[in-house]
């Protein structure tokens, strides 16, 4: 292969340092973000990994006295944020380095956001202009270092946190939750096992696809979503087969960041369905999206047919909507993603509850068109039973 792993600096949608080995720039990233005493937030699985150790060593050598917080769940809950805020205060930290997959990135971002607020976290759900309730000056600076290529949370302005009492995922939003600096280093995703490469990569696809299909006028997001889908098509199977292929890992990191950049436009029913499933069954977010994707495509068919014909042309698929759907089904098979929600443990008896939650999820507003709880009931039943209506 003659292609080289690219290195680049972007200032859009934030300051991104992209390239293999760029973790080494962490101390200078702290200086750029105005952080003197960082709290590094990661998940328990990564806390003792060589890459987190390296990050801490780099910071210590540069005289930064970092703290480490890793008491968080995949699908993080409010208690994780509260404990992180306590750690931030105890160590007098003035900023957060969020390092890991979406769970660690979201938790770190929300810790930095919520530490200086006086209202409860749920008051900042991504509803209307609720974010204006926040004291923006009190938000601590954030550096994000993704170690999965999926959520794109490193370039997003939101964090997804579960309210355990309600079994509901809340999207907490504030424009200043956008990390000031992102270190996007493909070396860090090398160790992701194939099943997580697949599941997180399908999340990136879901973001680019749903943003592209959202029924709003946003040609910037449409362009990004289209190219994001192309990168997934070209490189996700390669990253899955050969985790050490840094070119594939790099392009998938880009596709993930592109998905989150594009979904400023909106998401849709894939995410509206996967949030309640993740809250109730604790399933992996990207995996859940991957399972429900074809059912949602089939449901939206009439409205998105023309758009999908354009996507199919850009991706080099022979045909239009049907060719795209066939490609998604084939990709899922290749990545060993199950075909039904039943395979993830989702039970028919909980469909009414799941459907109600999906209809109320803020992402339902971006589906072309938003669906009723009744329509979600049918969709969930189809996805559990494997019927592509
Ligand atoms: N903020 C957003 O816009 C947004 C968008 C989509 C999803 N999310 C949220 O992100 C979370 C999912 O994030 P995710 O899919 O990245 O998974 P994750 O963060 O839950 O990580 C999954 C697993 O991968 C491991 N892991 C991470 N990087 C690794 C590496 N390089 N090598 C080996 N193992 C590694 C982790 O330790 C963990 O066990 C969910 O909570 C979801 O709700 C947020
Ligand atoms: Fe997602």
């Amino acid at each position: 292969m003659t292609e080289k792993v690219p290195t680049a600096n972007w200032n859009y949608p934030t300051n991104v340092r992209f390239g293999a080995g760029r973790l080494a720039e962490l101390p200078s990233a702290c200086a750029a973000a105005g952080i003197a005493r960082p709290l590094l937030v990661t998940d328990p699985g990564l806390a003792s990994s060589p890459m987190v150790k390296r990050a801490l060593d780099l910071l210590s050598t540069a005289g930064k006295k970092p703290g480490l917080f890793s008491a968080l769940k995949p699908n993080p809950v409010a208690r994780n944020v509260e404990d992180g805020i306590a750690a931030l205060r105890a160590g007098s930290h003035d900023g957060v380095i969020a390092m890991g997959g979406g769970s660690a990135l979201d938790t770190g971002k929300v810790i930095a956001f919520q530490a200086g607020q006086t209202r409860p976290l749920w008051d900042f759900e991504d509803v209307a202009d609720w974010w204006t309730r926040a004291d923006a000056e009190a938000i601590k600076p954030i550096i994000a270092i993704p170690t999965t290529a999926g959520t794109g949370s490193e370039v997003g302005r939101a964090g997804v946190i579960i309210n355990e009492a309600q079994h509901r995922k809340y999207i907490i939003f504030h424009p200043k939750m956008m990390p000031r600096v992102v270190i996007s280093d493909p070396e860090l995703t090398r160790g992701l096992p194939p099943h997580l490469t697949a599941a997180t990569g399908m999340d990136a696809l879901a973001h680019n696809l749903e943003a592209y299909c959202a029924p709003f006028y946003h040609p910037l997001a449409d362009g990004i979503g289209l190219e994001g889908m192309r990168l997934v098509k070209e490189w996700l199977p390669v990253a899955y087969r050969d985790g050490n292929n840094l070119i594939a890992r790099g392009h998938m990191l880009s596709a993930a960041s592109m998905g989150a950049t594009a979904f400023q436009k909106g998401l849709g029913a894939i995410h509206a369905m996967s949030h309640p499933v993740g809250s109730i069954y604790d399933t992996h977010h990207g995996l859940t999206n991957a399972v429900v994707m074809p059912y949602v495509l089939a449901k939206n068919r009439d409205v998105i047919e023309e758009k999908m014909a354009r996507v199919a042309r850009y991706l080099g698929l022979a045909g239009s909507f049907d060719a795209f759907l066939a490609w998604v089904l084939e990709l899922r098979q290749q990545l060993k993603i199950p075909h039904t929600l039943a395979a993830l443990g989702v039970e028919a008896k909980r469909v009414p509850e799941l459907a109600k939650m999906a209809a109320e999820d803020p992402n339902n507003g971006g589906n072309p068109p938003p669906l009723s709880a009744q329509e979600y009931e049918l969709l969930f039943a189809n996805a559990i039973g494997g019927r592509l209506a």
Side-chain angles (χ1 to χ4, degrees):
M1 195 175 293
T2 50
E3 197 184 342
K4 279 207 194 122
V5 183
T7 291
N9 294 324
W10 304 322
N11 289 302
Y12 165 69
T14 186
N15 185 315
V16 180
R17 302 178 184 207
F18 181 95
R22 297 197 72 177
L23 179 64
E25 294 175 28
L26 184 52
S28 89
C30 283
I35 303 177
R37 239 180 122 81
L39 177 67
L40 192 151
V41 176
T42 192
D43 71 50
L46 294 177
S48 53
S49 67
M51 61 182 152
V52 167
K53 187 175 177 310
R54 169 115 201 285
L56 293 170
D57 286 349
L58 283 162
L59 292 165
S60 299
T61 306
K64 296 276 182 205
K65 293 204 178 80
L68 177 66
F69 175 78
S70 64
L72 59 94
K73 289 175 50 155
N75 294 323
V77 299
R79 154 122 340 247
N80 302 149
V81 174
E82 287 157 22
D83 291 347
I85 291 174
L88 187 94
R89 289 190 185 136
S92 306
H93 298 290
D94 59 356
V96 167
I97 298 171
M99 180 169 183
S103 302
L105 296 181
D106 282 8
T107 310
K109 284 163 62 184
V110 178
I111 290 169
F113 166 74
Q114 183 65 9
Q117 307 303 322
T118 49
R119 300 176 72 130
L121 187 57
W122 317 120
D123 282 6
F124 304 111
E125 192 185 7
D126 188 8
V127 173
D129 62 353
W130 285 11
W131 62 271
T132 57
R133 297 165 163 178
D135 176 358
E137 294 306 308
I139 303 170
K140 304 249 185 252
I142 301 160
I143 294 173
I145 311 176
T147 67
T148 65
T151 71
S153 178
E154 67 278 3
V155 293
R157 304 171 302 168
V160 184
I161 305 294
I162 292 184
N163 178 321
E164 282 186 295
Q166 298 174 11
H167 286 290
R168 180 150 102 75
K169 279 197 172 188
Y170 277 74
I171 300 169
I172 307 299
F173 172 87
H174 194 285
K176 273 187 79 180
M177 236 192 280
M178 173 70 85
R180 287 201 192 167
V181 182
V182 177
I183 295 182
S184 196
D185 181 344
E187 294 273 4
L188 308 181
T189 61
R190 246 185 159 140
L192 256 188
H195 74 281
L196 282 173
T197 301
T200 51
M202 290 301 282
D203 190 23
L205 175 61
H207 295 157
N208 285 293
L209 168 66
E210 291 211 286
Y212 188 78
C213 291
F216 311 116
Y217 180 69
H218 202 325
L220 286 78
D222 292 343
I224 292 169
L226 210 49
E227 176 65 0
M229 284 188 264
R230 188 189 71 81
L231 288 177
V232 171
K233 177 169 179 287
E234 300 293 319
W235 296 103
L236 179 52
V238 182
Y240 179 75
R241 274 196 312 271
D242 175 12
N244 281 313
N245 185 319
L246 281 184
I247 293 168
R249 291 295 195 185
H251 286 313
M252 281 309 299
L253 267 178
S254 295
S257 292
M258 291 166 82
T261 306
F263 79 54
Q264 290 197 10
K265 180 187 170 200
L267 286 170
I270 295 174
H271 276 79
M273 290 176 78
S274 114
H275 284 154
V277 171
S279 313
I280 292 176
Y281 292 99
D282 219 9
T283 53
H284 182 267
H285 172 74
L287 178 65
T288 319
N289 287 340
V291 173
V292 301
M293 187 179 288
Y295 304 98
V296 171
L297 280 168
K299 168 72 187 163
N300 291 340
R301 178 185 190 123
D302 291 349
V303 193
I304 60 172
E305 215 155 8
E306 210 181 298
K307 277 188 179 173
M308 295 323 292
R310 234 177 292 149
V311 176
R313 276 201 298 281
Y314 188 66
L315 299 191
L317 298 166
S320 53
F321 176 90
D322 288 321
F324 186 85
L325 181 58
W327 167 67
V328 167
L329 290 169
E330 191 190 304
L331 178 65
R332 283 196 327 167
Q333 223 169 21
Q334 210 179 331
L335 302 178
K336 300 196 168 54
I337 306 263
H339 184 54
T340 68
L341 280 181
L344 301 191
V346 180
E347 308 145 290
K349 67 175 188 205
R350 297 199 76 161
V351 164
E353 182 188 358
L354 289 165
K356 183 170 178 290
M357 289 168 83
E360 286 166 2
D361 190 281
N363 291 139
N364 184 31
N367 199 61
L371 306 176
S372 66
Q374 250 173 343
E375 289 173 296
Y376 276 115
E377 283 201 19
L378 192 60
L379 255 179
F380 272 113
N382 285 345
I384 290 173
R387 288 180 300 275
L388 263 179

